[in-house]
Amino acid sequence: MADEWLLAPLLHRLGREAPKMRFICTPVQFRTVVEALATRRVDLAATVIGKVPRGILRAPLNRGHFVCLFDPRHVRLGARPTKRAYLAQEHVIVSFNGDLRGTVEDRLGVERRVRCSVATFGAIGAIVDGSPLVATVPDVFAAQILRQRPHLRSAPFPFPHAAGGLDLLWPAALDGDDACAFVRAAIVDVAKQVPALKKAM
């Protein structure tokens, strides 16, 4: 998810401030990221995660809530959808397990009519665009999609849920590494400047 809104501005910044620095970016997710950091397969990771073990440090990158993303030409959801209206729709979800269950099912116990499950957030905008499918995504990601596809709309997610977000993780062994600290500080600063979705559109 982070590469959709974080990687490009980070590379622009580091191109000015550290033009000889090179990156290898690889997908990670909360089920495998701790092992990847512990074995130094990756030095830094931006992901959604709960508790982390000792030896892994973290810094918050953004905090927000879920919103519903949809194409108003094909979906009648309204500016403030009810639970009933939300559950009546067909959905596209992101599932890190490769099944038909997403965060809404796993954490909130809500069963949706899932028609399509994808492994990452990268294709969500294209899938929703021109289709009757609703996506439930973090507001920062919805804001990115709406800048690229302003004819789409977002609306509040109709179920109560705690705020969540993306964290930057790194091994404690690299906490004092100057290069890693420089990149971490740049990532945190870039994340602060990413505009979030201020209201449902």
Side-chain angles (χ1 to χ4, degrees):
M1 177 174 64
D3 57 354
E4 294 293 322
W5 55 271
L6 189 60
L7 185 57
L10 175 66
L11 289 175
H12 290 154
R13 175 173 175 154
L14 295 181
R16 297 189 304 269
E17 298 179 8
K20 294 186 178 180
M21 186 172 283
R22 298 189 295 173
F23 285 83
I24 299 173
C25 300
T26 186
V28 296
Q29 48 105 337
F30 69 96
R31 299 183 191 280
T32 60
V33 68
V34 169
E35 186 271 339
L37 289 164
T39 59
R40 296 291 300 280
R41 186 167 60 84
V42 297
D43 294 331
L44 292 166
T47 190
V48 176
I49 196 168
K51 294 181 180 179
V52 294
R54 292 181 64 181
I56 303 296
L57 304 179
R58 73 196 302 169
L61 292 179
N62 79 309
R63 288 293 177 266
H65 291 85
F66 286 132
V67 296
C68 305
L69 185 73
F70 60 97
D71 189 332
R73 299 170 298 181
H74 301 276
V75 176
R76 296 286 178 260
L77 200 54
R80 301 197 66 81
T82 64
K83 295 176 183 178
R84 182 175 180 177
Y86 174 83
L87 293 175
Q89 308 301 320
E90 290 189 309
H91 297 259
V92 54
I93 69 166
V94 175
S95 171
F96 296 122
N97 291 330
D99 57 21
L100 295 174
R101 296 184 62 82
T103 300
V104 172
E105 284 75 19
D106 289 344
R107 295 188 182 177
L108 303 179
V110 175
E111 297 293 332
R112 293 172 290 181
R113 297 171 57 209
V114 177
R115 184 184 313 165
C116 178
S117 170
V118 295
T120 71
F121 286 90
I124 289 292
I127 291 171
V128 168
D129 198 341
S131 87
L133 301 180
V134 173
T136 303
V137 297
D139 52 8
V140 67
F141 187 72
Q144 175 73 15
I145 294 175
L146 289 168
R147 281 190 289 277
Q148 298 167 348
R149 301 173 186 269
H151 52 282
L152 300 183
R153 295 291 180 269
S154 72
F157 178 61
F159 292 87
H161 62 288
L166 204 65
D167 286 320
L168 180 64
L169 309 176
W170 67 95
L174 287 178
D175 197 43
D177 182 272
D178 289 342
C180 191
F182 171 78
V183 176
R184 288 197 310 267
I187 291 172
V188 170
D189 190 53
V190 166
K192 288 178 183 176
Q193 300 177 43
V194 173
L197 192 63
K198 300 301 182 184
K199 62 180 180 178
M201 301 177 71

